[in-house]
Amino acid sequence: VELVSVQRRDSGFAKKHSSVCLSDDENVEVEEKSSESFQPSSAKVGLLSGIRTVWNSPPIFSICVIASAFEGSMYIFIFLWTPALTHIENHLKPTANELPFGWIFASFMLCCLLGTMSFSRLSRAGVSASKCLVGVLALAAASCLAMAYPHASESGGASSVQYWGMLSYEFAIGAYYPSISVLKGTVVPEDQRAAIYNVFRLPLNLLVLINLTSGLSTQLSFLANSILLMVACILQIRLVRRSATLK
């Protein structure tokens, strides 16, 4: 009888002890979950760190403005080149057939390829990517200015100043991407590269959104692109001079 009573007391103590352990484990889990809920996400921390780095580093900030200006103008150009050429063609030949957009797009891609090949040749000749980017931005600004004020000839939209401006702009696009890639690789720190590149996209998307929702005409949009690219070209010239003084 005494043995049975002792076993019952031991089993009751074990149950109480196990319930206490379970409750302690549950409390620990609740505390861990609550602490995790109050901790900021790693993506948010990385984004804030990237914003601080961009703001505190003038070269990286300049690269952010340059990339946002050029790539923003490129996306705006993608939306506007078709209605711009169509407007010219309808003005010159109202009864003409539809423009050969396939051939026009193929000519754009050819000019883009020529721009990339030109950058490769300049790099092998010893011209730095920073100096190449100055020429690219100046050419892009002049191209957008030509697209903003077309002077179409009687032979059709394909021979207009606006179309030739589009071709030279595509040439600048082909030389821009290798130039900016080299420049980013030398300026942006590798351990924060992903976060900083995400910061670069914020003003880029905002710029495109404002331009497309503001109701500007095609000519005013191209003119705004030209002004932005001129500002980017000035910033790039300052970067080149800064790097020359540091050497």
Side-chain angles (χ1 to χ4, degrees):
V1 175
E2 292 177 357
L3 180 61
V4 172
S5 61
V6 170
Q7 290 178 350
R8 288 178 179 175
R9 286 197 299 270
D10 292 339
S11 62
F13 176 79
K15 290 180 180 179
K16 291 179 180 179
H17 183 68
S18 61
S19 64
V20 171
C21 291
L22 289 174
S23 62
D24 291 339
D25 292 339
E26 291 174 355
N27 290 332
V28 171
E29 291 178 0
V30 170
E31 290 176 359
E32 290 178 354
K33 291 180 179 179
S34 61
S35 62
E36 290 177 358
S37 63
F38 285 108
Q39 290 179 354
S41 62
S42 59
K44 184 178 179 180
V45 172
L47 183 62
L48 293 176
S49 176
I51 292 174
R52 284 194 297 268
T53 303
V54 171
W55 183 258
N56 295 326
S57 176
I60 298 178
F61 182 80
S62 298
I63 292 296
C64 177
V65 176
I66 292 168
S68 299
F70 190 94
E71 296 175 21
S73 66
M74 182 186 66
Y75 290 131
I76 294 169
F77 167 77
I78 291 173
F79 281 101
L80 297 181
W81 73 267
T82 302
L85 288 181
T86 303
H87 176 73
I88 293 177
E89 186 69 12
N90 292 336
H91 177 72
L92 293 174
K93 298 179 181 180
T95 60
N97 296 327
E98 186 178 356
L99 285 171
F101 290 111
W103 288 103
I104 293 173
F105 184 76
S107 65
F108 288 172
M109 295 301 100
L110 177 61
C111 290
C112 187
L113 177 62
L114 291 176
T116 305
M117 294 173 61
S118 299
F119 172 79
S120 300
R121 288 183 175 273
L122 290 173
S123 298
R124 288 195 295 267
V127 181
S128 65
S130 298
K131 293 181 179 179
C132 286
L133 190 57
V134 172
V136 166
L137 293 171
L139 178 61
S143 301
C144 288
L145 191 61
M147 288 185 275
Y149 295 98
H151 301 284
S153 64
E154 296 179 357
S155 58
S159 61
S160 67
V161 173
Q162 191 173 30
Y163 176 70
W164 290 108
M166 292 179 181
L167 293 179
S168 61
Y169 185 75
E170 288 289 342
F171 182 89
I173 291 174
Y176 164 79
Y177 275 104
S179 302
I180 198 67
S181 297
V182 174
L183 196 59
K184 286 179 179 179
T186 57
V187 174
V188 179
E190 186 175 358
D191 57 342
Q192 291 183 300
R193 190 161 292 173
I196 291 175
Y197 287 175
N198 288 330
V199 175
F200 285 2
R201 295 188 183 97
L202 295 177
L204 164 64
N205 294 326
L206 182 63
L207 176 65
V208 176
L209 182 64
I210 291 174
N211 189 288
L212 295 178
T213 57
S214 59
L216 294 176
S217 64
T218 303
Q219 291 187 4
L220 287 179
S221 295
F222 285 139
L223 181 60
N225 287 348
S226 180
I227 295 172
L228 285 173
L229 291 168
M230 289 178 187
V231 173
C233 185
I234 294 172
L235 289 176
Q236 182 58 28
I237 292 173
R238 292 181 61 185
L239 279 179
V240 172
R241 292 178 178 176
R242 177 187 176 89
S243 61
T245 55
L246 291 177
K247 290 180 181 180

